[in-house]
Amino acid sequence: MTDLHTQFIELSQLRIGMFVYLDVGWMDHPFPVSNFKISNNAQIETIRSLGLERVRYAPDKSSPETSTKTDDAQIQQENKLIESPGAFAARQRRELLANQQASLQVCERQFSHAAQTFKQVTELVHSQPAQARELTEQLIQGFLGEILGEDEAAIRLLSEKAGEKTSLHSINVTVISLLLGRTLHLSKTDMLDLGVATMLHDIGKMELPDRLRWQDEHFNHAERQLYHEHVLHSLALARKMGLSANVLLAIAQHHEHADGTGYPSHVQGDKLSAISRIIALVNHYDNLCNPANPAFAITPHEALSQIFTQHKPRFHIPTLTAFIRMMGIYPPGSVVQLTDERYAMVVSVNSARPIKPKVVIHNSAVPRDEALVINLEHENTLCIHRSLKPLQLPKAAYDYLSPRKRLCYFFERGLEIEQQKEDGATT
């Protein structure tokens, strides 16, 4: 993909400090990534050895040295004093892998903090409702500080260990709803209300018997009616916490549908608030991907397809359209086959460029815990060919990619690596 802020230069013009893009497949060069800032002459020589006629570079990301030393003999002498291209590539790969793992660890720590806060809220909501409200609003303000920043926010798949069942659903719905709210350009006030409402939309389930807290298709009529009462229980607790009218309405309507088929009041159309439409949609999506019985889970790709083809009348069309555009055709957690026939799992989707997600690719030559996340946006010849169900994977690819039985989402900065490394590469 040619960036408007890049230009082509001859190989003889390469200098240390230039931020270059190698427009070849990621396996056709020895560097761990395809775009980075040149830090030594060994890299220049390696780039020249690739057989390219010219390369692309970004002037606004570059700080080239003014020296014009291009004498081959001198460069060769300099190369003896610095690390070889192979050693540099290995070091850069280690650094990128460390950054990648650190970024994931930050997401998982933030998720863990959110889960602990949610647990505190459930413990305090009866005895100290004002404190429960304060904890919830502080948590959401923290989320908004990240999501509403200048950097792009990406949806990130976490490991299954990141959250237990009760908090996982509430945090999933909150994270995805806030990203959708940003996509729909909600005001800051509405974003705060949206976050609080999504975090607390199911808090009334704590009032139900354990066996009725998760909807089961085998419920009889009486059990189903009792389960539906969790909406009223959530609303009562929200009132006790003194939440805003906008939040109360969203909690009351989080199971309502645009066509009137929802519950408990069969509200429809324009009577649904803007944030209610978001919560109802994202709540339904996560329930498809993370049902009470994991055996009934469908893939994120299947969930989006089912919502669009079978349940479209239930949802506000502009909200649904924005949601599908944001999540991409292959949301995080999707198992896919690439155009070169290799298998991969989508781990992150940037809402600004959803067709080219980040993936982990099955490669038996690389240990699973050392696999780099590959950004398909930087690959001109590699893209996704089709989505698969996990059980369609060969056993070796299944064991390597470890498809999640429960999907756990959080958000990460879209440009975290590029901003943190002066001489390194982006993911």
Side-chain angles (χ1 to χ4, degrees):
M1 179 183 296
T2 301
D3 195 302
L4 294 176
H5 300 292
T6 64
Q7 62 189 55
F8 287 100
I9 60 170
E10 302 297 327
L11 299 186
S12 61
Q13 296 177 283
L14 289 175
R15 298 287 184 273
I16 293 173
M18 286 184 170
F19 195 96
V20 296
Y21 295 78
L22 303 179
D23 295 319
V24 295
W26 68 281
M27 296 188 68
D28 295 330
H29 60 77
F31 304 104
V33 288
S34 299
N35 56 310
F36 55 91
K37 183 180 285 188
I38 297 174
S39 61
N40 57 55
N41 281 318
Q43 292 175 264
I44 293 177
E45 286 303 294
T46 301
I47 294 171
R48 288 174 176 168
S49 73
L50 298 178
L52 302 172
E53 294 184 1
R54 57 182 185 168
V55 295
R56 207 160 40 92
Y57 95 106
D60 58 333
K61 297 181 181 180
S62 302
S63 52
E65 294 183 356
T66 56
S67 171
T68 58
K69 298 176 182 178
T70 56
D71 181 79
D72 288 343
Q74 184 171 0
I75 291 176
Q76 291 298 326
Q77 182 64 30
E78 290 175 353
N79 286 348
K80 294 179 182 179
L81 303 177
I82 58 178
E83 59 188 340
S84 67
F88 169 79
R91 176 175 63 81
Q92 195 176 39
R93 190 183 195 285
R94 288 195 300 271
E95 292 177 357
L96 187 62
L97 182 62
N99 273 320
Q100 175 180 300
Q101 292 172 337
S103 176
L104 179 58
Q105 288 170 0
V106 168
C107 288
E108 293 190 338
R109 282 199 302 271
Q110 290 176 324
F111 189 102
S112 178
H113 169 70
Q116 291 171 3
T117 301
F118 181 80
K119 183 179 179 182
Q120 283 182 280
V121 169
T122 60
E123 292 171 347
L124 292 171
V125 66
H126 283 295
S127 61
Q128 301 180 59
Q131 188 175 349
R133 170 184 174 168
E134 183 178 351
L135 283 173
T136 305
E137 291 180 344
Q138 287 177 351
L139 178 64
I140 300 306
Q141 291 282 15
F143 283 7
L144 295 180
E146 296 288 331
I147 291 176
L148 298 180
E150 294 182 359
D151 298 337
E152 296 171 343
I155 304 170
R156 183 65 162 92
L157 179 71
L158 306 185
S159 63
E160 288 185 89
K161 66 181 181 181
E164 48 80 40
K165 186 175 178 180
T166 303
S167 62
L168 184 147
H169 174 69
S170 293
I171 298 173
N172 274 356
V173 176
T174 300
V175 167
I176 298 175
S177 293
L178 288 175
L179 289 171
L180 181 54
R182 172 178 168 162
T183 298
L184 293 169
H185 307 293
L186 295 189
S187 68
K188 289 184 179 180
T189 299
D190 280 347
M191 287 289 282
L192 177 60
D193 286 344
L194 174 62
V196 171
T198 48
M199 187 61 70
L200 301 175
H201 73 281
D202 272 348
I203 195 169
K205 285 184 177 180
M206 63 188 293
E207 307 291 272
L208 301 179
D210 287 349
R211 69 183 185 85
L212 295 179
R213 291 183 181 180
W214 304 98
Q215 187 163 1
D216 191 310
E217 62 178 12
H218 299 299
F219 279 172
N220 59 37
H221 178 74
E223 289 171 329
R224 189 174 299 108
Q225 290 301 114
L226 284 173
Y227 173 79
H228 286 181
E229 288 182 6
H230 80 268
V231 176
L232 299 179
H233 292 309
S234 294
L235 187 58
L237 290 173
R239 286 198 179 103
K240 191 173 184 179
M241 295 167 70
L243 300 176
S244 72
N246 203 22
V247 172
L248 295 177
L249 183 60
I251 290 175
Q253 295 182 342
H254 79 269
H255 276 294
E256 301 289 0
H257 295 152
D259 61 0
T261 60
Y263 65 85
S265 302
H266 305 289
V267 177
Q268 58 184 304
D270 294 339
K271 293 182 180 179
L272 293 170
S273 74
I275 65 174
S276 299
R277 294 165 179 165
I278 292 174
I279 299 176
L281 173 58
V282 178
N283 182 57
H284 183 66
Y285 167 80
D286 193 65
N287 282 331
L288 290 175
C289 296
N290 292 308
N293 185 346
F296 297 123
I298 61 178
T299 68
H301 177 78
E302 289 174 320
L304 284 184
S305 177
Q306 184 180 119
I307 290 172
F308 187 76
T309 59
Q310 300 178 31
H311 302 155
K312 186 189 298 186
R314 297 182 183 180
F315 304 105
H316 181 244
I317 296 302
T319 303
L320 176 59
T321 301
F323 177 64
I324 292 174
R325 187 181 299 117
M326 180 189 80
M327 295 296 285
I329 299 175
Y330 310 102
S334 298
V335 176
V336 297
Q337 188 170 29
L338 305 177
T339 48
D340 63 2
E341 298 188 353
R342 288 179 298 167
Y343 300 102
M345 183 167 66
V346 177
V347 297
S348 181
V349 173
N350 188 322
S351 60
R353 292 176 291 279
I355 304 301
K356 288 282 193 172
K358 296 178 184 178
V359 299
V360 169
I361 301 175
H362 171 225
N363 183 352
S364 58
V366 178
R368 174 64 180 85
D369 58 0
E370 296 179 14
L372 283 176
V373 172
I374 303 302
N375 191 341
L376 294 181
E377 184 192 357
H378 299 155
E379 303 299 323
N380 290 339
T381 60
L382 189 64
C383 56
I384 294 174
H385 170 58
R386 61 172 178 154
S387 175
L388 300 172
K389 294 182 179 181
L391 292 180
Q392 291 179 284
L393 289 170
K395 186 178 186 306
Y398 184 94
D399 293 342
Y400 189 96
L401 297 174
S402 301
R404 311 293 194 261
K405 292 181 180 178
R406 290 198 177 278
L407 299 180
C408 182
Y409 292 134
F410 210 66
F411 54 82
E412 66 177 353
R413 295 284 189 161
L415 304 175
E416 73 279 3
I417 301 300
E418 184 176 349
Q419 293 183 335
Q420 291 174 5
K421 289 175 64 66
E422 289 292 329
D423 63 342
T426 58
T427 51

